[in-house]
Amino acid sequence: MRIVCVGGGPAGFYFAISTKLRNPAHDVTVIERDPPGATYGWGVVYWDNLLDVFFRNDPPSARDIRAQSTLWQEQRISVAGAGAAHLAGYGFSMQRAALLEILARRALELGVNVEYRHEVDDLRPYADADLIVAADGANSRVRQAAGDAFGTSATTGSNPYIWLGTDRLLDSFAFAFERTPAGWIWCHAYPSGTGLSTCIVESTRRTWEGLGFDERGDVDTLRELEKIFAESLDGHALISQCRGTTARWQRFTEITNERWYHDNVVLLGDAAHTTHFTLGSGTALAIVDAVMLAQILHDNGDDLSAALRSFDVRGRRALHPVQAAARTSMAWFEQVDCYLDHDVGGVGGVGGGGGDPGAVSFAYAMAGRHGPQPPWRYQVHRATQVPAVRRALRGLHAGGRWWLARRRGESTPPRTEPAVRTSGAAPRSPG
């Protein structure tokens, strides 16, 4: 089978790898419009379930991905005037560029043809391909060229956001909410590589305009954001340039499609669906799409139509609850000013349910934004604010990671990571 994959992101490359692993005889070509190493964005986040997928599907690339990844422990939510709170758990992150380099190298090792600096605006040159995979992102030109064939809908959120980097290396996933004269503004930050962290800044449109970001230039924008988040950055700088690309303010667009295939063209990853970045599932969903499509093609042999129908049904069914959760998360952050004003009160005060510290109440509301929580969960949440409890949980998680690593067949268990800071420049948890 001759397969042409348009787009050299995680979805496109991992589909090519997965397909060649199942049938080396397939002629697979990945076409990428940018040069090698070019990518927009800083870090990507994932969890153990994606590591399981990587190791089951292709251990060699999985080992490289794990070696390039950073472990972060806990989520730390700091709120101006109300201290900080913590959410238990851990995850992994790595630079998006490093992930793409690993996948591109592995694809070449398996015999995939890779063409860089090649823009695809017309599919007629690939008329002899048995299958064309559109993995060219949320703004997929392949999908757009098909008109209404996929039943595409696009819904744009109201909050502006900008995807930046910082030279402050974090050891936890951090949220910082700052109150300004124009309203609340916040950042989501996590480690993404040696000496670097990703920092996504978001606010409501009213606050964004009130702070003048609709008129500021790139340098002025960074300097103002560094002032606003000075405590969280601890004297470090924000970085806009990522491999030659300057970050720009944008608003998130949710992409849905009624059908994921048309004739011999199939959508993959962000071309088929997008999920809001506050859910942190974009890369994982792209990888799962890639493995699922490769396996279904393999299982159906020469019956391409049956394979595409099966992928369409199974893929959309699996995605539905994830995209619904992402939609809820986006809507929650679009109303976050109301929650902050309720749980935190004035700039210098604390408030919220029953006299509980504002940051703790707010963090609990943020963690439960996808739906109702049982009453006992709040008591557990309050207990996890105690440093001794958090240290015990980190120990339990370390044991769990060791067991999962052995089960996956990792060559060595994960190395010991630095402990999560419980004091320092940032305010202590009020728990």
Side-chain angles (χ1 to χ4, degrees):
M1 182 184 295
R2 181 170 183 237
I3 301 173
V4 173
C5 186
V6 181
F13 272 125
Y14 208 71
F15 167 75
I17 291 167
S18 302
T19 300
K20 291 293 279 187
L21 286 170
R22 285 157 176 77
N23 189 342
H26 285 319
D27 180 358
V28 183
T29 299
V30 173
I31 302 174
E32 168 56 40
R33 65 184 177 185
D34 292 324
T39 182
Y40 173 70
W42 295 83
V44 296
V45 176
Y46 66 93
W47 285 265
D48 272 311
N49 56 352
L50 188 62
L51 264 185
D52 290 342
V53 172
F54 281 137
F55 273 92
R56 282 197 304 267
N57 192 64
D58 183 38
S61 63
R63 286 190 289 269
D64 289 342
I65 289 169
R66 180 62 187 95
Q68 292 278 339
S69 297
T70 298
L71 169 71
W72 52 263
Q73 300 188 71
E74 299 184 343
Q75 295 182 49
R76 185 179 187 280
I77 298 92
S78 62
V79 182
H86 301 84
L87 299 176
Y90 67 90
F92 305 92
S93 53
M94 68 183 300
Q95 288 185 311
R96 177 178 167 85
L99 174 62
L100 292 180
E101 288 168 3
I102 290 169
L103 298 183
R105 183 171 63 247
R106 180 60 171 155
L108 289 169
E109 290 174 357
L110 293 171
V112 175
N113 306 306
V114 181
E115 299 179 12
Y116 288 104
R117 300 182 179 89
H118 189 159
E119 190 81 61
V120 176
D121 295 314
D122 186 354
L123 295 180
R124 284 177 294 182
Y126 313 104
D128 61 337
D130 299 292
L131 176 65
I132 296 174
V133 179
D136 51 342
N139 298 315
S140 170
R141 294 192 179 187
V142 174
R143 186 193 65 222
Q144 292 174 12
D148 297 329
F150 296 102
T152 306
S153 296
T155 304
T156 302
S158 62
N159 282 2
Y161 73 95
I162 187 169
W163 199 358
L164 302 168
T166 174
D167 57 4
R168 181 180 185 186
L169 182 60
L170 301 170
D171 51 21
S172 63
F173 199 118
F175 292 84
F177 294 83
E178 299 291 343
R179 189 164 190 172
T180 73
W184 290 91
I185 186 169
W186 57 95
C187 68
H188 322 230
Y190 53 89
S192 53
T194 304
L196 291 173
S197 297
T198 296
C199 184
I200 304 172
V201 177
E202 183 184 8
S203 74
T204 64
R205 187 173 185 87
R206 182 185 62 184
T207 299
W208 180 74
E209 291 177 346
L211 292 171
F213 288 123
D214 54 336
E215 298 177 347
R216 295 178 187 269
D218 296 335
V219 174
D220 194 24
T221 291
L222 288 187
R223 298 295 83 81
E224 182 64 20
L225 290 174
E226 286 171 349
K227 291 178 185 177
I228 292 172
F229 295 104
E231 189 170 31
S232 297
L233 292 171
D234 194 24
H236 290 262
L238 288 171
I239 307 168
S240 175
Q241 286 281 335
C242 181
R243 299 205 171 200
T245 302
T246 301
R248 294 284 185 267
W249 289 100
Q250 54 189 310
R251 291 187 294 155
F252 182 81
T253 300
E254 180 191 62
I255 299 294
T256 60
N257 288 279
E258 296 176 1
R259 296 166 296 280
W260 286 7
Y261 78 100
H262 172 66
D263 293 335
N264 69 330
V265 179
V266 62
L267 306 178
L268 206 63
D270 283 354
H273 50 76
T274 60
T275 55
H276 196 251
F277 54 85
T278 53
L279 204 66
S281 298
T283 300
L285 290 173
I287 297 298
V288 170
D289 276 1
V291 176
M292 181 188 299
L293 179 57
Q295 186 62 49
I296 290 174
L297 288 171
H298 181 70
D299 292 342
N300 282 270
D302 296 330
D303 195 343
L304 180 61
S305 296
L308 295 182
R309 285 195 302 271
S310 178
F311 174 69
D312 179 62
V313 171
R314 290 172 55 184
R316 287 190 295 112
R317 183 173 59 212
L319 176 72
H320 180 74
V322 180
Q323 203 160 42
R327 194 176 301 121
T328 300
S329 184
M330 179 175 71
W332 191 89
F333 276 95
E334 289 176 347
Q335 300 295 322
V336 77
D337 283 33
C338 299
Y339 301 114
L340 284 161
D341 289 337
H342 175 268
D343 285 330
V344 178
V347 175
V350 295
D356 294 324
V360 175
S361 297
F362 175 74
Y364 180 72
M366 191 179 80
R369 65 188 181 275
H370 303 300
Q373 302 294 311
W376 54 265
R377 184 151 300 170
Y378 183 68
Q379 300 306 318
V380 172
H381 170 67
R382 284 188 58 81
T384 59
Q385 307 312 303
V386 178
V389 174
R390 289 166 47 217
R391 285 194 296 271
L393 285 173
R394 289 197 296 271
L396 288 173
H397 291 153
R401 286 194 302 274
W402 181 87
W403 181 83
L404 289 171
R406 292 292 299 270
R407 189 192 67 180
R408 282 190 288 259
E410 293 185 42
S411 55
T412 57
R415 66 184 186 277
T416 301
E417 300 284 344
V420 176
R421 184 188 60 208
T422 57
S423 63
R428 289 180 181 272
S429 163

